[in-house]
Amino acid sequence: MRTLSSMGFALFGAGLIAISFGLARFAFGLFVPAISTDLDLTPYRIGIIGALPLISFVLATLVAPLAADRLGARVLAILSSCFGAGGLALISLASDAISLGIGVFICGICTGLMMPALTTAMQALVSRTMHGRVSSIMNAGTSIGIIVAVPTVVFLSDAWRFTYAMFAVLAGIGIVAAWYFIPSVSRVMPANAAPPPPINRQQWSRLIRLTLFAFAMGFVAAPYWLFAPDLAVTLGALPAGHTGWLWFAVGIAGLGGAMVSDLADRNNPPITQALMLMMLASSLALLAASPGQLGLAIFSALVFGLAYMSLTGLYLMTGIRLLPGRLSMGPVLPFMAVALGQAVGSPVIGALVDGLGYADGFAIFAMIGILVAMLSPIYPGHIDYWTEDAEEEPQQVEDTGIQAAYDHQLVDENGEPVEPVAEEDEAT
């Protein structure tokens, strides 16, 4: 194994995330027009198939923490990459809805295992003072993967089988890279970190609200991830190759999502959540209203990418803050809720498109997004950390932003954040 610096690990992790999230999960919507035509699939069937990788993502995420502890970061990352290579290869060979569904289901397993593997390795290799920056760079890998997929649609719009075969080769390279660069370690918990106390009633209340908002956001975002390119081709008569620019815009705007979510945590999370949900809903309505105008379609993709990535970043920070000491639950819970929302939303939008058409289906989801945004004042914006007595009024912490969330992820017996120096000494 070759040891990486903190930034080297961040860039390497971004590459693996680009493959597992950007290519194995989110690129599927780009190829829906070509795949549905070649395999003669209705929008409802595409909706069902689009839900499968999200379901497998949740199932894999549930077992990933235990797998990381038992197998270690390296084996789990290699296993994730193997699922990615196998799933992508199977998609390239799909002959009907069943084989396609199996392929995307396997890709969802890859996605669910990769982030826990990288998080485990980060705990061992990267100083806690760098966790916020490293995590932001790795999360940007999703946008990078989406951008990488764009040229394949622009220049190979009808060659989706060849494209997925190339994606499988990239996942195979990820297998070798994971074996070479990721240490064979299990999750690292400093000895001076206090065990997490029971979740109190106030935390449960805030966790439920966070989960419901994350689920609703995933539900509202499902039509765009699955059917935006198909809508532009079917309803707007855009050439299939032009739809790649929508995903390019999503990827570029998504790179700014970490900055927006960080600013949201520093200012007013409920207001930012309301604004971003309104933007998400607006992107659906704008695309449905003007699918034949490439410029407006690209603008709607920019709005969608910024809103979606900002909200996922905000939910990540809120989850970490609400569950300090629970490394395998705080960062994972909101992502599971988003995935479940998308899994439920995918067949629903497929049925609506079959029954009402693209325009009305997207408009209904946009309306739901606006209604959810109106409930944002109850978003858990006031963050509490541990107190000695669970019934005491929670402490108000001045430090904000993603690094502050990671700083308070582990605390000692006095409720104070684990000092990086003490953590490094313990590791030594």
Side-chain angles (χ1 to χ4, degrees):
M1 190 204 88
R2 181 179 177 182
T3 303
L4 294 170
S5 65
S6 294
M7 292 309 297
F9 177 79
L11 296 174
F12 170 72
L16 291 183
I17 292 296
I19 296 171
S20 58
F21 279 76
L23 301 183
R25 177 174 169 182
F26 288 120
F28 180 73
L30 268 177
F31 301 95
V32 163
I35 292 175
S36 59
T37 299
D38 287 355
L39 301 184
D40 193 24
L41 301 176
T42 64
Y44 179 68
R45 284 190 176 182
I46 287 292
I48 295 294
I49 293 171
L52 294 178
L54 303 164
I55 295 172
S56 60
F57 168 82
V58 173
L59 295 176
T61 302
L62 288 173
V63 303
L66 178 62
D69 288 336
R70 296 290 180 88
L71 302 177
R74 179 191 296 168
V75 174
L76 189 60
I78 291 174
L79 186 62
S80 171
S81 298
C82 287
F83 276 114
L88 291 166
L90 188 56
I91 292 174
S92 72
L93 301 172
S95 58
D96 53 24
I98 295 177
S99 55
L100 179 65
I102 294 173
V104 297
F105 185 88
I106 294 174
C107 284
I109 298 175
C110 160
T111 309
L113 297 180
M114 182 57 75
M115 185 58 81
L118 291 174
T119 301
T120 300
M122 183 178 73
Q123 297 289 341
L125 295 179
V126 180
S127 168
R128 295 200 65 82
T129 58
M130 293 286 291
H131 279 194
R133 184 180 303 176
V134 170
S135 178
S136 295
I137 294 174
M138 288 198 302
N139 289 336
T142 300
S143 296
I144 295 170
I146 293 171
I147 294 171
V148 167
V150 169
T152 63
V153 178
V154 174
F155 301 108
L156 300 169
S157 58
D158 295 325
W160 62 272
R161 294 184 185 275
F162 175 71
T163 301
Y164 266 95
M166 290 195 301
F167 290 169
V169 171
L170 290 176
I173 295 173
I175 296 173
V176 178
W179 175 82
Y180 190 68
F181 288 109
I182 294 183
S184 182
V185 296
S186 297
R187 191 176 305 279
V188 175
M189 282 286 288
N192 59 337
I199 301 175
N200 61 45
R201 185 168 52 188
Q202 190 173 46
Q203 282 179 303
W204 276 120
S205 172
R206 291 175 177 178
L207 284 172
I208 290 172
R209 281 179 278 158
L210 170 63
T211 302
L212 290 176
F213 274 115
F215 177 90
M217 191 278 281
F219 182 87
V220 173
Y224 212 103
W225 282 123
L226 194 56
F227 284 120
D230 201 38
L231 183 151
V233 171
T234 304
L235 196 62
L238 285 179
H242 287 183
T243 60
W245 298 113
L246 271 67
W247 254 226
F248 180 79
V250 169
I252 290 295
L255 293 174
M259 182 182 301
V260 173
S261 59
D262 195 64
L263 292 174
D265 191 49
R266 296 176 186 277
N267 294 283
N268 194 311
I271 289 179
T272 304
Q273 131 114 354
L275 176 62
M276 292 298 113
L277 274 175
M278 291 292 287
M279 289 174 59
L280 198 71
S282 299
S283 68
L284 296 174
L286 181 59
L287 182 63
S290 304
Q293 301 294 324
L294 182 60
L296 290 177
I298 290 176
F299 180 75
S300 79
L302 287 169
V303 173
F304 175 83
L306 180 64
Y308 183 89
M309 297 302 177
S310 299
L311 285 169
T312 53
L314 178 61
Y315 298 153
L316 168 66
M317 284 189 289
T318 304
I320 293 173
R321 285 183 176 278
L322 287 179
L323 291 173
R326 300 177 187 272
L327 302 180
S328 61
M329 185 176 178
V332 170
L333 183 64
F335 284 112
M336 289 178 57
V338 170
L340 284 173
Q342 288 182 240
V344 173
S346 294
V348 172
I349 185 59
L352 289 176
V353 169
D354 260 350
L356 302 176
Y358 279 106
D360 289 343
F362 271 56
I364 290 173
F365 270 73
M367 179 187 68
I368 294 172
I370 293 172
L371 292 175
V372 174
M374 294 170 63
L375 300 175
S376 293
I378 65 174
Y379 181 81
H382 298 288
I383 307 302
D384 56 340
Y385 294 126
W386 288 345
T387 56
E388 293 184 2
D389 185 355
E391 299 299 325
E392 290 181 11
E393 186 67 21
Q395 306 173 48
Q396 195 67 31
V397 179
E398 295 180 0
D399 294 337
T400 55
I402 189 166
Q403 182 56 51
Y406 277 104
D407 288 342
H408 289 84
Q409 193 177 25
L410 293 176
V411 297
D412 58 25
E413 295 179 353
N414 298 320
E416 297 295 328
V418 172
E419 294 294 334
V421 174
E423 197 175 4
E424 291 170 4
D425 291 343
E426 179 62 33
T428 303

